[in-house]
Amino acid sequence: MARFDSLMKATFNPPRNWTLLEDLKFYSDELTESDAEMLRNCGVQVRNSTKTKQYIITIPKGYVTDMASVPRACWAFIAPFDVARAAVVHDIMYEKINGALKKGIIESKKERECYRWIADRMFLEGMLSADPEVPNWKIWSAYYSVRMFGRWAINSSAPRKGI
């Protein structure tokens, strides 16, 4: 079963960023070897656990995130805290994928869409495996929002500066 290794431990950097105080690990059941290799080529830390037969995505200590980029007007329905850990996994993937496009590792925006699909699937899997549980309507609303608007958001995904 997919899972996170712990709750997210982070410190707030006003006005809207958070810095991880410890590595955050996500154990995926859905990731394939091909997907993992693609993500590794972009710089995402992914390894295979022979013990659990899962792929482990590691978001390193010191990573800066804004969690979920949910417009403030929508927070009554889906707050960034509802999907925080899944959003952090998604954030780092978008940043690394966009960086790989800029470096020529990914050759076209069309090819980048294949990578984006993997990142969006990991976002969905992360939300579905969240503890405490996230209501299904929030999961699917957040997922379809990312699928719909992510093609524009990924263009501005760049590493955020820490403290």
Side-chain angles (χ1 to χ4, degrees):
M1 187 164 135
R3 64 182 175 83
F4 288 92
D5 69 331
S6 66
L7 294 176
M8 188 172 75
K9 295 171 183 76
T11 187
F12 182 57
N13 305 324
R16 56 182 294 200
N17 289 331
W18 296 81
T19 301
L20 293 186
L21 298 173
E22 294 180 357
D23 288 355
L24 177 66
K25 294 181 182 174
F26 177 62
Y27 293 73
S28 171
D29 292 330
E30 300 289 323
L31 210 58
T32 66
E33 179 55 37
S34 172
D35 296 341
E37 190 58 36
M38 289 171 71
L39 292 172
R40 282 186 207 108
N41 288 338
C42 294
V44 177
Q45 293 180 31
V46 182
R47 69 180 174 85
N48 188 352
S49 171
T50 53
K51 183 178 176 183
T52 63
K53 306 276 192 257
Q54 294 172 306
Y55 285 92
I56 305 167
I57 300 166
T58 302
I59 299 83
K61 173 184 175 180
Y63 178 70
V64 178
T65 179
D66 66 353
M67 288 199 277
S69 302
V70 178
R72 183 77 173 179
C74 298
W75 281 23
F77 306 105
I78 302 173
F81 313 106
D82 292 333
V83 296
R85 289 181 294 174
V88 172
V89 171
H90 191 253
D91 274 359
I92 199 164
M93 287 183 180
Y94 264 33
E95 287 177 20
K96 299 291 186 180
I97 291 166
N98 195 40
L101 177 70
K102 290 177 179 175
K103 293 175 186 171
I105 296 167
I106 297 173
E107 296 178 5
S108 68
K109 287 188 177 185
K110 184 175 181 179
E111 182 183 358
R112 182 179 68 186
E113 283 302 303
C114 296
Y115 287 79
R116 188 173 79 85
W117 185 77
I118 295 168
D120 293 353
R121 274 190 13 244
M122 291 300 96
F123 179 55
L124 176 61
E125 185 182 21
M127 290 186 295
L128 288 168
S129 60
D131 184 24
E133 197 171 301
V134 178
N136 275 335
W137 69 268
K138 285 186 180 189
I139 291 171
W140 291 103
S141 296
Y143 174 72
Y144 285 120
S145 294
V146 162
R147 286 305 300 153
M148 206 173 354
F149 300 112
R151 70 176 44 107
W152 294 287
I154 199 169
N155 288 325
S156 62
S157 289
R160 294 172 187 90
K161 302 293 181 217
I163 303 172

